[in-house]
Amino acid sequence: MAGEAREAAGGRTIITGATGFAGRHLLARLAGRTPLIGWARPGGTPPADVPGVEWAFVDITDRQDVERAVREAAPQRIFHLAGAPNVASSFRNAVPHLQTNALGTHYLLDAVARWARDCRVLVVTSAQVYAASDAPLSEAAALKPQSPYGFTKLAQERVALAAAAEGLDVVVARPFNHIGPGQDAGFALPSFARQIALAETGAGPAVLRVGNLETHRDITDVRDVVDAYVALAERGRTAEIYNVCSGRARRIRDLLDALLEQSSMAITVEIDPERFRPVDVPVIEGDASKLRADLGWTPRVPIERTLADILDDWRARVRTER
């Protein structure tokens, strides 16, 4: 009932990281349902294809900037998606990840405590906080991040739960891998799709360069993931952590093969050692039983559609680039 009251009240909703991959999909999901304020980095370019969004340029690592933006908005809900998302880059320099993921979350929740204490905040962290395991990972599984990125997300969680212990209405989402149209080519499957699209147009070689294809990952369509975020913001239990995942680990090689089957031409695959991570956990599989039981959420988009949409998205982008 509390979640229904939140939505019916029509209060203002902030989405931090609104220009990011999941943020853009969440904007589209909520457009027209509630007054939306999208936070973008100073100097950023907000997307023009989502009408009715009020944009604010906020540096999440600047305490005064964050406090000002929260005070002016007086939000009823915040989806905190802003973060440094790239695991690979965290091995080269973890400082920006720590500043954005942990310190930025501290500044945001401190501002909420001062200026919007009744606001519900969904803090989105990552399944990268878990220890390596061959078993499906529930929210009670051991925590031992395998990358600097994972450590910064665990620090972010600690900040969020500490704020909840101080009386703030905070819920934590731990998403596993999610993919879909609009994702940056710095991630594996979008990278594969971009290389295929370039090869099909003759703008790139008919050779697809890849890293480790033998890892297994629990992968969910981003549109299902943002549906889970909305459900958590409306009906999730305060101070609780929820996995957001499909509950099935898929081998990356199999997903690549499915993409190649959709290509209009024959493409050779070559392993590139430069694309391997310093640490690459063999299997990551989640358990979403808690999310299903509490909220009735279940993923709806089949993986075949997700892969087709990613490839079509990159075909369109390559045409535009040319």
Side-chain angles (χ1 to χ4, degrees), residues 39 50 63 82 100 129 164 176 217 248 277 295 304 307 318:
W39 282 16
V50 183
R63 180 193 287 272
T100 303
V129 300
F176 285 63
R217 293 292 180 264
R248 175 183 175 185
R277 291 177 180 173
L295 305 179
E304 295 80 11
L307 294 174
V318 166

Side-chain angles (χ1 to χ4, degrees), residues 26-291:
L26 183 58
L27 279 177
R29 172 70 170 75
L30 292 175
R33 296 181 57 190
T34 181
L36 285 175
I37 303 172
W39 282 16
R41 290 181 181 139
T45 303
D49 56 348
V50 183
V53 179
E54 177 185 340
W55 287 97
F57 295 93
V58 182
D59 181 355
I60 196 70
T61 65
D62 183 323
R63 180 193 287 272
Q64 292 182 339
D65 207 19
V66 171
E67 184 171 343
R68 171 196 56 77
V70 171
R71 183 179 68 248
E72 292 175 356
Q76 185 183 34
R77 292 191 305 184
I78 298 175
F79 293 86
H80 181 39
L81 275 63
N86 197 301
V87 176
S89 66
S90 74
F91 286 98
R92 296 189 293 272
N93 185 2
V95 173
H97 296 74
L98 188 62
Q99 290 175 326
T100 303
N101 297 339
L103 199 59
T105 299
H106 168 64
Y107 291 158
L108 176 67
L109 293 174
D110 186 60
V112 168
R114 291 170 180 269
W115 302 103
R117 194 162 184 88
D118 293 333
C119 175
R120 161 153 284 205
V121 184
L122 178 70
V123 176
V124 176
T125 65
S126 170
Q128 293 285 331
V129 300
Y130 287 117
S133 173
D134 293 334
L137 298 162
S138 74
E139 292 83 356
L143 304 179
K144 186 180 179 182
Q146 304 297 303
S147 68
Y149 168 82
F151 278 106
T152 70
K153 298 303 280 186
L154 182 55
Q156 179 185 31
E157 279 193 6
R158 299 305 191 201
V159 169
L161 294 176
E166 293 296 321
L168 292 190
D169 187 6
V170 178
V171 182
V172 174
R174 272 185 194 154
F176 285 63
N177 293 67
H178 43 287
I179 60 174
Q183 193 170 22
D184 186 84
F187 298 86
L189 289 163
S191 172
F192 301 161
R194 181 177 184 274
Q195 292 181 72
I196 292 170
L198 287 169
E200 288 177 340
T201 62
V207 177
L208 199 153
R209 300 182 66 79
V210 302
N212 185 3
L213 297 178
E214 301 309 315
T215 56
H216 290 68
R217 293 292 180 264
D218 189 320
I219 293 176
T220 307
D221 189 288
V222 66
R223 292 160 289 196
D224 283 325
V225 169
V226 298
D227 280 350
Y229 292 167
V230 173
L232 286 169
E234 293 172 357
R235 306 189 305 280
R237 288 182 281 145
T238 300
E240 291 287 340
I241 297 170
Y242 292 87
N243 284 343
V244 180
C245 57
S246 70
R248 175 183 175 185
R250 301 175 186 271
R251 190 173 65 151
I252 300 302
R253 181 181 294 276
D254 296 333
L255 298 174
L256 171 57
D257 289 343
L259 276 173
L260 290 171
E261 287 177 3
Q262 299 181 38
S263 176
S264 60
M265 63 182 296
I267 297 176
T268 302
V269 175
E270 288 187 0
I271 302 296
D272 181 1
E274 294 296 321
R275 295 174 182 258
F276 281 63
R277 291 177 180 173
V279 178
D280 213 355
V281 179
V283 179
I284 300 178
E285 181 176 320
D287 178 352
S289 299
K290 183 176 178 180
L291 184 60

